[in-house]
Amino acid sequence: MMQRERVADDIYVFTSELYAQVTAGAIITSDGAILIDTLVFPEEARAIRAFLETRLNCPVRYVINTHYHADHTYGTCLFPEAQVIAHTRCYELLATRGQAGLAQAQSSTPELREVQVVLPHMVLENGTMSVHLGNKTVELIHSPGHSPDSIVCLVKEDRVLFAGDTLMPVPYFVDGDYEEFVTSLCALRNGGYENVVQGHGEVILRGEVEEKIQSDLNYLERIRVHAEKVLNRGRSLSELYNLDIESCGKSRIPLNGLVQELHRANLSALYQALQEDRQAAPLSSVG
Ligand SMILES: [Zn+2]
């Protein structure tokens, strides 16, 4: 149902085998655990809880949601004793789209019937926020782009970064903003991280981090250049769809091929956004 790995002495990563290799992480401290994201299905969250509380005797004191999307937040309701922390936009989005999305998901997926949206008890408004528990410090940093409320979480003592969906096998900005994504990726450069936990897929090791960030920036640049070209020639979105993911420097294999769908959705969102920009300011977009 999920894989568990250890990325530092006191840090575990749980990767779902049920949905898109979404990840959650636990930081074990002398005063309890900090859980970062909670996976989708109650049985997965229960298995994380059993491991931390029964095996390690380390109850979850804080849950941090990296953003409001279902695959990162549905398990939060399985930790009713924990204080939940997220960005202030996450609170708003959970209360609106999150609630609506859950009702819809529950009608088609019986396993989700017991899920309840948990609104964060504490929110980060601007800049950064630090969570201190036992011998560990986790710094929360706003990192919009994948979604408006995305944050990344740095475990300071271990230099382990939980990047949420700011890092995943292919950058995905359909519910967020292209320019903000570029800015957020640039902010992760030269962080000196030991390990980086992506929101989906494999953990990135120290020696691969800078290359991964650059590859994501190259991907974003490549699709933008191509979308501009297609628009300049007055061609339709279907021509942009010919731009395959490999020619943008990414493999089509990760997440069991789901990345291809993400790539296509990126192309569509970018085409529409650029087209709207041109309609809003036709002269300034020339050249
Ligand atoms: Zn996700």
Side-chain angles (χ1 to χ4, degrees):
M1 168 174 71
M2 69 186 188
Q3 289 183 2
R4 185 182 72 232
E5 66 187 297
R6 203 168 183 171
V7 296
D9 279 350
D10 305 318
I11 303 179
Y12 293 87
V13 173
F14 308 92
T15 305
S16 176
E17 289 174 341
L18 299 176
Y19 181 78
Q21 292 168 36
V22 61
T23 65
I27 300 133
I28 309 304
T29 85
S30 48
D31 281 339
I34 301 168
L35 185 60
I36 299 176
D37 286 345
T38 53
L39 306 187
V40 191
F41 293 103
E43 59 173 318
E44 297 176 304
R46 252 189 218 103
I48 292 175
R49 185 176 177 127
F51 174 73
L52 296 174
E53 301 197 349
T54 310
R55 277 263 306 267
L56 302 185
N57 195 25
C58 189
V60 174
R61 297 273 306 276
Y62 293 106
V63 170
I64 299 170
N65 289 146
T66 61
H67 59 298
Y68 79 101
H69 289 166
D71 47 338
H72 301 260
T73 56
Y74 276 3
T76 303
C77 63
L78 274 295
F79 300 90
E81 303 88 358
Q83 293 289 304
V84 180
I85 309 172
H87 193 268
T88 188
R89 294 295 309 276
C90 181
Y91 184 102
E92 297 160 16
L93 289 162
L94 278 171
T96 52
R97 288 190 221 169
Q99 297 279 14
L102 176 61
Q104 204 171 27
Q106 283 174 328
S107 66
S108 61
T109 312
E111 299 94 305
L112 297 176
R113 283 203 186 125
E114 68 177 288
V115 172
Q116 290 180 320
V117 168
V118 180
L119 297 179
H121 305 105
M122 287 178 276
V123 294
L124 162 67
E125 302 252 1
N126 288 306
T128 65
M129 175 191 210
S130 289
V131 179
H132 298 277
L133 186 65
N135 51 336
K136 298 287 183 184
T137 311
V138 181
E139 189 176 28
L140 281 53
I141 305 152
H142 192 207
S143 181
H146 172 73
S147 60
D149 62 331
S150 282
I151 58 171
V152 298
C153 306
L154 175 64
V155 187
K156 289 199 138 177
E157 291 76 9
D158 302 271
R159 302 295 306 167
V160 170
L161 183 78
F162 286 87
D165 285 354
T166 298
L167 289 178
M168 52 192 288
V170 66
Y172 184 58
F173 54 85
V174 168
D175 188 33
D177 182 89
Y178 176 98
E179 295 296 339
E180 285 185 337
F181 211 131
V182 171
T183 304
S184 290
L185 281 172
C186 288
L188 295 183
R189 281 172 157 168
N190 304 314
Y193 307 119
E194 283 297 322
N195 281 301
V196 175
V197 182
Q198 307 189 85
H200 297 258
E202 293 173 356
V203 173
I204 304 165
L205 306 177
R206 182 172 57 183
E208 303 166 346
V209 175
E210 297 307 320
E211 193 186 330
K212 160 65 180 164
I213 295 168
Q214 192 55 52
S215 157
D216 285 4
L217 288 166
N218 292 348
Y219 168 85
L220 291 171
E221 174 67 8
R222 184 104 181 87
I223 62 171
R224 192 186 59 78
V225 166
H226 211 82
E228 296 275 11
K229 263 190 210 158
V230 168
L231 277 163
N232 285 343
R233 291 201 302 255
R235 309 304 282 266
S236 70
L237 175 59
S238 61
E239 180 159 324
L240 185 57
Y241 281 150
N242 292 332
L243 182 68
D244 64 58
I245 191 166
E246 280 91 354
S247 64
C248 304
K250 294 290 183 188
S251 163
R252 67 177 61 214
I253 293 166
L255 309 184
N256 300 318
L258 176 67
V259 290
Q260 290 246 74
E261 283 170 49
L262 303 181
H263 171 64
R264 234 175 125 83
N266 280 336
L267 295 177
S268 167
L270 185 58
Y271 183 90
Q272 279 167 31
L274 292 174
Q275 199 170 41
E276 279 163 26
D277 284 354
R278 285 174 186 220
Q279 280 156 4
L283 289 177
S284 66
S285 69
V286 170

